[in-house]
Amino acid sequence: MNKVKLTWSTSETFSARKIVVMRAEKPIINQGMLISANILQELSTDTKEYEDNIQDSGTYYYAVVARTQAGTLYNILIPSVNATVTPVVLSKDFTKQIYKDMQEQKKTEPEPDSISTMTVLPEEKIYSEGQMRELPLPYLDLIDDLYKKPSITNPEVIQAGKELSMEYQNSKKKVLLPYIFEEDLISNPEGDGYYLFKILKTHFITEDYQTSVHELKKFLSIYREPDITRRAAFYLGEAQYYCRRYRQAIAMFLFVEDDLPVLARKWIDSSLDFYKLDK
């Protein structure tokens, strides 16, 4: 129950001094985390697997990287390729301890007059006001409505909206041009940045916005650094905008509005220009 087996493959042209297996309690997604991760073993380049023996309960992530002939780590990290995105969770098994405690308690307590059932549970810990829980904390989805279907609008609200916007709808509307952040104009060598750049290059730039929506949702379903999450959410808003899903687009632009107030407001206004109430 406390063994984790890692396997990998390398290309025929693979050349390195060593293969380095690393472990951390958070996803190893950038160079900074690569430096702070725990090096478990350095293996020969013909090795294709490694078995880790975990002693303490917790949440663990792994990465397998190459050490170059010069002795430095080849720091390209690609989630789900050479860095795990799904954690290995080792929980404490209370069963044996509970049984042992019950047996010890039975030796010291007098026999009861009647038969009773006793349930032994781990002691509940009470946190005082302002005290934070220990890690690992439960993961909260940053964007919890990515797959939520829009609610049905009340007919009275639809009619009121049409009356209020009758004159405004006759005005000429201009579709905004795609916006790309400077950070994503060139390929980023690190994991998350490279993954996002690949989505943009393969789908977004080629105007395959339907696939862009799918890939960006999948990208955002895993924890990313705040700055990359913000950019990916904005691109998702743009892709929804070009798919004419203005309601979903507005939700994404609102998500980044605090950090990108001018840019987000521009796209929110344009989305509202094109947004039509359901018939």
Side-chain angles (χ1 to χ4, degrees), residues 51-199:
E51 190 174 87
D52 186 21
N53 225 341
I54 303 177
Q55 300 300 323
D56 300 321
S57 61
T59 302
Y60 300 99
Y61 295 84
Y62 293 86
V64 178
V65 296
R67 188 176 293 283
T68 66
Q69 298 295 349
T72 58
L73 288 177
Y74 193 63
N75 61 359
I76 288 184
L77 289 163
I78 305 177
S80 78
V81 177
N82 70 326
T84 61
V85 295
T86 303
V88 174
V89 181
L90 181 65
S91 300
K92 290 182 179 179
D93 184 2
F94 288 101
T95 308
K96 292 182 179 179
Q97 186 61 42
I98 289 173
Y99 178 78
K100 182 180 178 181
D101 292 344
M102 290 177 67
Q103 296 302 316
E104 293 295 327
Q105 193 168 3
K106 285 176 68 176
K107 293 178 183 179
T108 57
E109 288 184 351
E111 290 293 328
D113 295 332
S114 59
I115 299 175
S116 62
T117 302
M118 180 177 66
T119 302
V120 180
L121 296 173
E123 182 180 352
E124 181 181 357
K125 184 165 183 179
I126 299 175
Y127 297 87
S128 60
E129 185 176 353
Q131 181 183 1
M132 296 184 66
R133 284 184 52 186
E134 305 94 327
L135 293 176
L137 295 171
Y139 171 68
L140 300 178
D141 192 357
L142 292 175
I143 309 175
D144 59 2
D145 59 349
L146 279 178
Y147 298 95
K148 188 183 295 183
K149 293 183 179 180
S151 58
I152 299 174
T153 308
N154 187 300
E156 295 178 359
V157 174
I158 294 175
Q159 185 58 36
K162 288 180 178 179
E163 293 174 0
L164 288 170
S165 61
M166 191 174 298
E167 294 182 4
Y168 180 70
Q169 287 184 349
N170 294 327
S171 60
K172 191 174 181 180
K173 305 161 190 174
K174 186 177 180 181
V175 178
L176 295 176
L177 295 175
Y179 180 87
I180 305 292
F181 292 94
E182 289 185 8
E183 296 92 328
D184 302 312
L185 290 175
I186 58 174
S187 178
N188 192 317
E190 295 185 359
D192 281 351
Y194 175 81
Y195 190 5
L196 181 58
F197 175 82
K198 186 176 179 181
I199 294 173

